[in-house]
Amino acid sequence: MDKHEVEKVEFISSEVARYVEKRLGDVAKHVTVSVSFSEEGVEVDVDIEASVLVDDSYLQKVADEAAELGVCIADVIRERGWPIERSEIARCFAK
C-alpha cells in the first residue's frame, strides 16, 4: 500500500470511529475499523465493543451505519481525488 492509500485508510477509519463515538458516547469502549480497497470498490468493517447496557441490535445498527459512512467517504475520495477536505464529505453524514 502506498503512502496515499495509507492516508486514505487512516482518514476513513478516523471519521468512522469519530461517528461511532459520537453516536454511542461513553458506552463505546473500543471501536475497530477495517478498510480494504479492491477492484470492486471498498469494504469497511466496523467492530464495536461497548457497555453491556447497550442493546446488541442497536450496536449492530450503529456498526452498519458506520460502515455505510465509510463506503460513502471512500466513494467521495474516488470521485474528487485525494487529498480531500472534511467539508467535501459532509453529504455522507447527512444520510
Side-chain angles (χ1 to χ4, degrees):
M1 203 180 319
D2 70 13
K3 178 184 170 208
H4 291 296
E5 292 295 310
V6 170
E7 289 173 353
K8 291 176 198 175
V9 167
E10 288 175 351
F11 179 77
I12 294 167
S13 296
S14 69
E15 291 297 319
V16 169
R18 183 178 295 131
Y19 172 83
V20 170
E21 289 163 0
K22 191 173 181 181
R23 287 290 307 269
L24 296 177
D26 292 339
V27 298
K29 293 181 180 177
H30 186 74
V31 179
T32 304
V33 181
S34 302
V35 180
S36 58
F37 293 95
S38 68
E39 290 183 15
E40 293 85 39
V42 65
E43 184 174 319
V44 180
D45 293 313
V46 181
D47 184 45
I48 305 169
E49 292 177 30
S51 166
V52 294
L53 301 175
V54 181
D55 182 66
D56 285 343
S57 63
Y58 181 70
L59 272 183
Q60 187 59 53
K61 179 182 179 215
V62 172
D64 291 346
E65 290 171 353
E68 288 177 25
L69 172 66
V71 171
C72 180
I73 293 169
D75 288 345
V76 172
I77 291 170
R78 186 173 43 243
E79 290 169 14
R80 307 224 174 165
W82 183 257
I84 197 161
E85 296 295 323
R86 179 170 273 126
S87 61
E88 294 179 274
I89 63 166
R91 69 178 180 169
C92 295
F93 291 93
K95 290 184 176 183

